[in-house]
């Protein structure tokens, strides 16, 4: 559709104004009613768009992190394409393009724009299924372009009216997509162990695993003061609730019992601590069992990228949260510090799901 229907535009404008935090109880009740009314919306209709736009206001039990991030829209987009790697890269680029437009309009932070441009340029160098680079970012048909437009429009809703929250929210979106891409590719490597393709796939995965580090390079343009200016508005929307992140770690390392005390607090994460996912068959286990020294060396390179990411995540917590408790009820930076170094995990044979996870 060339333009959003008036009913959708109104809901977009309502959420975009001063941020979702400023919505009244009457507004929220109206949006919840629209969501309930459009529950059985056929694909490709105005009602489906209304349903996507209003899911964060549904009356069912949804963790705050998922209400805040609207990850259901990313799942909707990815479900509409058979090539998950291409679709994930396109979704990342679309989110970053939207953020770039927001930053250009504000005209405040040239360094942030430089870092965004570098990240988008890097996306175009990433390997794809049939070649060394990803031309998929520049060859999008009309149907996919429309789906990307919907994805961007239905996910860009900060809670506050603070400009800097845009970079935080879009960074979360791109990281969530990266977690999924890493998990998806890890499954492909596990399936290929014992074949010549395993080395190529693992090298590709190593490059994907560097994406969260590059996203954090952009995110570091936030000052602690600007971060704290909107943190309260995000409420209990803690990244510790991210199902994609924990599934990624299961796929890479297997079950880590140290995380159980936090994961069991959340009903949607509790299955990760129980059979069958507790016995996840990890990439680390598959590489170790292969006895292939080439794969073992490639795994170490991958592990270094991920170690850097966890260290930077901890560093972010130290810089931006200091001694403040994490929004998910954790110890904040101290919680992150405990997981910078991964411990050996018991192995199992359960495959880790590879669909994009949302609540």
């Amino acid at each position: 559709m060339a333009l959003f229907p008036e009913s959708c535009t109104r809901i977009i404008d309502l959420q975009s104004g001063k941020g979702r935090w400023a919505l009244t109880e009457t507004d929220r009740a109206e949006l919840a009613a629209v969501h309930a009314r459009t529950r059985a919306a056929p694909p490709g209709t105005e009602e489906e768009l209304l349903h996507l736009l209003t899911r964060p206001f549904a009356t069912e039990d949804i963790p705050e992190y998922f209400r805040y991030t609207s990850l259901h829209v990313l799942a909707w987009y990815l479900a509409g394409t058979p090539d998950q790697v291409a679709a994930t890269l396109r979704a990342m680029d679309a989110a970053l393009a939207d953020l770039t437009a927001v930053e250009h309009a504000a005209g405040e932070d040239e360094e942030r724009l430089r870092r965004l441009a570098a990240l988008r340029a890097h996306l175009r160098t990433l390997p794809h299924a049939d070649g060394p680079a990803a031309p998929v970012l520049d060859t999008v048909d009309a149907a996919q372009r429309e789906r990307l437009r919907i994805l961007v429009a239905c996910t860009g809703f900060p809670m506050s009216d603070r400009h800097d929250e845009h970079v935080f929210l879009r960074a979360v979106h791109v990281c969530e997509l990266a977690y999924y891409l890493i998990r998806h590719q890890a499954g492909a490597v596990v399936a290929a162990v014992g074949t010549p393709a395993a080395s190529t796939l693992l090298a590709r995965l190593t490059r994907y695993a560097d994406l969260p580090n590059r996203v954090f390079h952009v995110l570091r343009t936030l000052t602690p003061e600007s971060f704290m200016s909107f943190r309260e508005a995000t409420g209990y929307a803690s990244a510790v609730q991210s199902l994609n992140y924990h599934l990624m770690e299961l796929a890479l390392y297997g079950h880590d019992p140290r995380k159980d005390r936090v994961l069991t607090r959340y009903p949607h994460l509790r299955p990760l601590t129980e059979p069958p996912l507790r016995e996840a068959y990890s990439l680390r286990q598959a590489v170790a069992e292969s006895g292939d020294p080439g794969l073992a060396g490639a795994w170490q390179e991958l592990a270094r990228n991920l170690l850097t990411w966890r260290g930077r995540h901890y560093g972010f917590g130290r810089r931006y949260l200091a001694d403040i408790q994490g929004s998910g009820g954790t110890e904040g930076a101290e919680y992150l510090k405990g997981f910078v170094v991964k411990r050996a995990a018991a192995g199992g044979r359960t495959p880790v799901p590879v669909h994009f996870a949302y609540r």
Side-chain angles (χ1 to χ4, degrees):
M1 56 187 72
L3 297 171
F4 290 118
E6 183 179 346
S7 60
C8 297
T9 301
R10 177 179 171 276
I11 287 178
I12 290 171
D13 291 345
L14 183 62
Q15 296 186 65
S16 301
K18 295 184 178 180
R20 283 176 169 170
W21 206 28
L23 292 174
T24 67
E25 289 303 314
T26 300
D27 294 332
R28 293 174 183 279
E30 177 190 347
L31 294 171
V34 171
H35 184 74
R37 176 174 60 78
T38 57
R39 191 176 301 278
T45 63
E46 177 179 340
E47 287 73 23
E48 183 186 39
L49 286 179
L50 289 168
H51 197 69
L52 288 173
L53 282 165
T54 56
R55 189 175 188 277
F57 304 92
T59 56
E60 59 255 37
D61 185 18
I62 299 174
E64 288 303 310
Y65 178 76
F66 296 98
R67 293 186 190 274
Y68 176 54
T69 56
S70 298
L71 295 189
H72 62 283
V73 184
L74 303 185
W76 165 85
Y77 169 73
L78 291 171
T81 178
D83 187 338
Q84 293 290 281
V85 173
T88 303
L89 293 171
R90 285 171 179 152
M92 288 179 179
D93 189 58
L96 293 171
D98 180 69
L99 176 59
T100 299
V102 169
E103 293 297 327
H104 270 300
E108 295 178 358
D109 196 328
E110 292 184 4
E111 178 60 25
R112 183 176 295 168
L113 283 168
R114 283 194 290 270
R115 294 186 186 191
L116 280 169
L119 178 52
R120 293 190 68 198
H122 177 72
L123 284 179
R124 284 166 167 75
T125 72
L126 292 178
H128 187 50
D130 299 316
V136 294
L137 297 182
D138 302 310
T139 54
V140 184
D141 63 28
Q144 289 299 313
R145 189 176 297 111
E146 179 61 19
R147 291 180 70 83
L148 286 167
R149 191 172 74 95
I150 293 170
L151 181 150
V152 167
C154 295
T155 55
F157 301 120
M159 291 295 289
S160 74
D161 60 357
R162 305 298 298 180
H163 168 75
D164 278 342
E165 191 182 350
H166 287 278
V167 68
F168 180 77
L169 181 58
R170 288 306 189 193
V172 171
H173 290 148
V174 177
C175 279
E176 284 285 334
L177 289 162
Y179 304 152
Y180 170 65
L181 181 58
I182 292 166
R183 183 168 88 254
H184 184 280
Q185 189 71 11
V189 178
V190 169
V193 167
T195 74
S199 294
T200 300
L201 292 170
L202 186 49
R204 188 177 298 164
L205 170 58
T206 299
R207 297 196 63 189
Y208 295 156
D210 188 45
L211 280 169
N213 289 319
R214 294 174 180 271
V215 174
F216 258 57
H217 186 57
V218 175
L219 196 57
R220 289 276 293 189
T221 59
L222 283 175
T223 65
E225 292 75 21
S226 64
F227 176 71
M228 292 306 296
S229 73
F230 62 79
R231 181 179 181 267
E232 183 181 359
T234 65
Y236 294 101
S238 170
V240 78
Q241 300 168 17
S242 171
L243 186 51
N244 277 306
Y245 180 77
H246 295 299
L247 283 170
M248 177 191 74
E249 290 219 313
L250 270 183
L252 294 170
Y253 301 107
H255 175 248
D256 185 344
R258 296 177 301 163
K259 295 167 69 173
D260 286 358
R261 67 182 179 85
V262 171
L263 299 183
T264 52
R265 295 178 189 172
Y266 301 100
H268 74 287
L269 298 179
R270 197 170 297 135
L272 304 180
T273 71
E274 303 166 344
L277 288 178
R278 188 181 180 92
E279 285 81 40
Y281 187 54
S282 68
L283 176 58
R284 176 166 59 181
Q285 181 182 351
V287 169
E289 291 179 357
S290 75
D292 184 330
L295 286 183
W299 163 261
Q300 291 302 319
E301 185 178 354
L302 167 65
R304 280 192 292 272
N305 273 347
L306 295 164
L307 175 62
T308 299
W309 145 250
R310 292 191 299 274
R312 286 180 175 171
H313 195 188
Y314 166 55
F316 183 92
R318 285 193 63 187
R319 182 181 184 214
Y320 292 87
L321 296 177
D323 297 324
I324 300 173
Q325 185 182 51
S327 50
T330 69
E331 300 83 6
E334 284 304 303
Y335 169 79
L336 298 173
K337 181 180 180 181
F339 296 100
V340 171
V341 177
K342 302 301 293 184
R343 296 179 182 174
R349 291 292 163 185
T350 300
V352 178
V354 293
H355 61 279
F356 187 85
Y358 74 98
R359 294 292 294 179

